[in-house]
Structures are given as structure tokens and as C-alpha cells.
């Protein structure tokens, strides 16, 4: 047996959470240590302070829709905030010490942000203005970039009438704020009448509860000619409602549905020349992600974006954080605090 290395020569190790198999959070998520990662060419290493937990992260852990383990070991989560502490070749050394928010850390890569360190391509560590919090930065990635794509994939929204379903959700709330920042007039829906008081009137001009007798008539009362854009979180539930309120040549931008094989009123939508855009965030065009990152930072910097934070968990309680997300998350983002 080789003698142990002197303490100064031992490789540093960092705390992280990972899963080696898919399944329930408490069964498969483990906290341990790994040797510090080293950034390669074009990459930066970020010392993570806060890691954001998203439904997409827990779906990968569960094997949702039959997805398999993409790598033998997965450190989950794509979103984070932190500080760059090392850079690889071809990256400006002046980035060391810069506060950043991170997106896509575990998109087609094995090691995400549920760790003290994460390594990402240089452009996926976005400068975070000093007056913005780490909590906001860690909440921008997946929901923010998805929201940006729902709003802007089909052109500017200045002067347009935009309907956002699920406006109290992670993507919906950011979509509404981005559309308002860009000059749109907002109509929004919530599931229950009791939630109407939680909608921000500074962003949303009119809010409608879906548990009312005729939400389509309520929306039409605010939009007699129909709405130009619809941001859709539950296409299977709302397809008929969307058809009833869409203007000619409207766009329905759907990023989720409740039924895998979702039915739509095809002929009425066709005769109304409606565009149905389906959005999967991992595979947005790289150019679109970079533009989203710039716009999200700009909007946040001027106070146009806020994010409600729900539960915060330490890294050791990552299983509880995942269970919170799988149970619906409650009100606000679920975050992990990473030990420093």
C-alpha cells in the first residue's frame, strides 16, 4: 500500500450531491466529495453559492418519460449563482473573481450545480450585477430562458396583447415581466379565484381565474379582437380556451402540457391561422440562449424582474428540496445553499 500523501500534496475535494441511479429522491441522491474540477479550454469554474432546483432537474432524476442515466454519475441542476475562481485556456483571466449566474450546467453534461464547484462553457457564466442577489441569479436560468423564448421567439411584443397562463409559476411570472418590460399589455390567468390577489397589478393589466364560469368570456371582455400571443403552461387543459381567445395569426407558445398526447381543436386553429410553437429549453438555439441571458440580465438590472423565493435547503437536504419541487413547489423558487 502506498503511504498517504502529505496533506499539502493531496488533491482538494469539494462537497457535492449526485445520483448513480434514477428513482425517488431519498433513495438515489447522495452527498459526498470529489476532487476539485479543472476547467478545460473555453471553460470557467464557478464556486457556487446558490443552486436553483427546477422541475426538469427532478424529472431527469426520476427517469421521466423513460429517460435513462446519461452518465454513470450525475450532479444535478442547471442553474446557479456564484463567483468564477478559475478559467481554462482561451478565457480572459480577468474573469476570475467575477460574480455570475449560470445556466445549462447539466444540459448534455454530467456535473451540474448541486456542488461547491461547477465547470461550464465561458458564455454560460453570465456576469451578475453587484446590486442583484445570488438568489435572483440562481433563479434565472431554465425558467428565465424558457420565459424569454416563449415571449420573443416570434418577434417583438411591443404594443401586443399577451396572455400568460399560470402567471404565478416560475416561467409564467418571468414571461409576464419580460413581456411587460418589452412593451406588451398583459392579461394573465391563475387557477383559483383566491389567487387573484397575488397577481402584480404593476405588470398584469387584467387577471382571470380559470375556476370561474366562463374564463374565455372574461378574457374576451379585455381583448375583444383576441390576444396576439399566448404563453401556455398546460396545453392539454387550455387548448379550447386558447382557441376561443386567440386573434387571427396569434401564436400559442407552449412549454408544458398535462397529457402526453394532447388534443387540439385543429380546424378552428387552422382557419384562424394560429401558430403553435412547442418549446424544449435544453435544445433552444445557442444564439437564442445567449440573447435571453443578455436580456434577462438587463431587465433584472433595472428592476424589471423579481423572483419569489420559497424554500431554501442546505446541500445535505437536497432530497427534501427535490421532493418540494415534485410536490408542486408551493409559492416561490426552491434553492439550495452551498457550503463555502
Amino acid at each position: 500500500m502506498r503511504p498517504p500523501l502529505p496533506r499539502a500534496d493531496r488533491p482538494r475535494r469539494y462537497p457535492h450531491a449526485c445520483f448513480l441511479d434514477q428513482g425517488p429522491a431519498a433513495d438515489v441522491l447522495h452527498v459526498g466529495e470529489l476532487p476539485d474540477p479543472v476547467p478545460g479550454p473555453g471553460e470557467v469554474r464557478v464556486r457556487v453559492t446558490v443552486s436553483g432546483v427546477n422541475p426538469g432537474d427532478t424529472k431527469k432524476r426520476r427517469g421521466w418519460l423513460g429517460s435513462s442515466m446519461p452518465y454513470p454519475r450525475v450532479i444535478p441542476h442547471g442553474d446557479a449563482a456564484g463567483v468564477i475562481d478559475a478559467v481554462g485556456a482561451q478565457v480572459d483571466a480577468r474573469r476570475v473573481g467575477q460574480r455570475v449566474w449560470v445556466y445549462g450546467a447539466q444540459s448534455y453534461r454530467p456535473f451540474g450545480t448541486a456542488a461547491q464547484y461547477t465547470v461550464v462553457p465561458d458564455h454560460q457564466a453570465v456576469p451578475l450585477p453587484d446590486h442583484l442577489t445570488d438568489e435572483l441569479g440562481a433563479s434565472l436560468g431554465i425558467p428565465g430562458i424558457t420565459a424569454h423564448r416563449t415571449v420573443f421567439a416570434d418577434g417583438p411584443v411591443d404594443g401586443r396583447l399577451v396572455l400568460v397562463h399560470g402567471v404565478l409559476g416560475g416561467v409564467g411570472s418571468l414571461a409576464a415581466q419580460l413581456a411587460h418590460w418589452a412593451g406588451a399589455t398583459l392579461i394573465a390567468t391563475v387557477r383559483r379565484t383566491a389567487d387573484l390577489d397575488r397577481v402584480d397589478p404593476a405588470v398584469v393589466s387584467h387577471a382571470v381565474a380559470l375556476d370561474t364560469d366562463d374564463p374565455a368570456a372574461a378574457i374576451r371582455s379585455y381583448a375583444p379582437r383576441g390576444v396576439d400571443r399566448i404563453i401556455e403552461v398546460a396545453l392539454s387543459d387550455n387548448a379550447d380556451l386558447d382557441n376561443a381567445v386567440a386573434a387571427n395569426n396569434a401564436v400559442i407558445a407552449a412549454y408544458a402540457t398535462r397529457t402526453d398526447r394532447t388534443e387540439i381543436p385543429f380546424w378552428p386553429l387552422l382557419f384562424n391561422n394560429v401558430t403553435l410553437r412547442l418549446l424544449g429549453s435544453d435544445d433552444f438555439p445557442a444564439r437564442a440562449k445567449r440573447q435571453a441571458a443578455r436580456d434577462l440580465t438587463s431587465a433584472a438590472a433595472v428592476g424589471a424582474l423579481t423572483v419569489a423565493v420559497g424554500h431554501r435547503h442546505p446541500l445535505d437536504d437536497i432530497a427534501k428540496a427535490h421532493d418540494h419541487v415534485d410536490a408542486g413547489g408551493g409559492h416561490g423558487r426552491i434553492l439550495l445553499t452551498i457550503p463555502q
Side-chain angles (χ1 to χ4, degrees):
M1 174 181 286
R2 296 177 62 184
L5 292 169
R7 181 172 300 276
D9 295 331
R10 294 178 189 171
R12 276 179 37 85
R13 300 177 71 84
Y14 71 104
H16 74 287
C18 70
F19 56 93
L20 309 179
D21 297 291
Q22 291 167 307
D27 294 346
V28 302
L29 285 168
H30 306 284
V31 177
E33 292 186 337
L34 285 173
D36 284 2
V38 178
E43 295 180 331
V44 299
R45 185 175 71 187
V46 177
R47 187 178 181 98
V48 177
T49 55
V50 181
S51 175
V53 192
N54 292 289
D57 300 320
T58 69
K59 289 173 180 176
K60 291 177 181 179
R61 187 214 74 233
R62 288 187 278 121
W64 183 64
L65 295 182
S67 61
S68 59
M69 283 288 295
Y71 306 97
R73 178 195 301 267
V74 174
I75 295 176
H77 306 174
D79 300 348
V83 177
I84 293 175
D85 82 327
V87 300
Q90 303 163 23
V91 177
D92 189 342
R94 290 174 295 182
R95 295 211 71 188
V96 172
Q98 186 177 57
R99 292 182 69 231
V100 294
W101 64 273
V102 172
Y103 68 89
Q106 209 263 296
S107 179
Y108 298 108
R109 297 168 68 91
F111 294 164
T113 68
Q116 191 176 67
Y117 292 105
T118 192
V119 170
V120 294
D122 178 37
H123 65 273
Q124 289 174 220
V126 185
L128 182 64
D130 287 341
H131 65 286
L132 300 181
T133 67
D134 287 353
E135 289 77 11
L136 176 59
S139 302
L140 292 178
I142 290 173
I145 291 172
T146 301
H148 186 277
R149 189 77 175 148
T150 66
V151 173
F152 298 112
D154 293 278
V157 294
D158 187 23
R160 300 296 186 96
L161 198 53
V162 176
L163 170 64
V164 178
H165 287 302
V167 74
L168 298 178
V171 175
S173 62
L174 288 171
Q177 292 175 81
L178 284 169
H180 179 260
W181 172 70
T185 298
L186 272 295
I187 301 173
T189 68
V190 295
R191 287 188 192 179
R192 296 172 291 271
T193 300
D195 290 330
L196 287 171
D197 289 343
R198 296 176 52 216
V199 178
D200 185 355
V203 173
V204 175
S205 297
H206 307 287
V208 173
L210 295 180
D211 63 358
T212 56
D213 290 338
D214 194 347
I219 294 168
R220 277 285 184 176
S221 71
Y222 304 125
R225 64 171 186 81
V227 296
D228 302 302
R229 305 280 179 88
I230 300 173
I231 312 303
E232 183 55 82
V233 64
L235 184 62
S236 56
D237 295 20
N238 296 330
D240 290 324
L241 170 60
D242 293 344
N243 176 61
V245 301
N248 193 270
N249 292 303
V251 174
I252 301 172
Y255 62 93
T257 189
R258 295 183 194 278
T259 304
D260 294 344
R261 300 186 67 85
T262 294
E263 294 184 0
I264 61 172
F266 178 82
W267 291 112
L269 290 172
L270 179 145
F271 292 133
N272 211 19
N273 288 285
V274 169
T275 296
L276 177 59
R277 177 179 287 277
L278 306 181
L279 299 148
S281 62
D282 274 352
D283 297 302
F284 291 163
R287 181 181 296 178
K289 290 183 181 181
R290 293 191 190 205
Q291 185 62 55
R294 288 191 291 268
D295 287 348
L296 287 161
T297 304
S298 296
V302 297
L305 293 184
T306 60
V307 173
V309 175
H311 296 275
R312 290 187 59 155
H313 297 269
L315 180 63
D316 287 345
D317 284 344
I318 185 173
K320 292 181 181 178
H322 275 228
D323 286 341
H324 250 126
V325 171
D326 285 338
H331 301 324
R333 291 298 309 277
I334 307 300
L335 301 175
L336 280 186
T337 301
I338 307 300
Q340 299 301 298

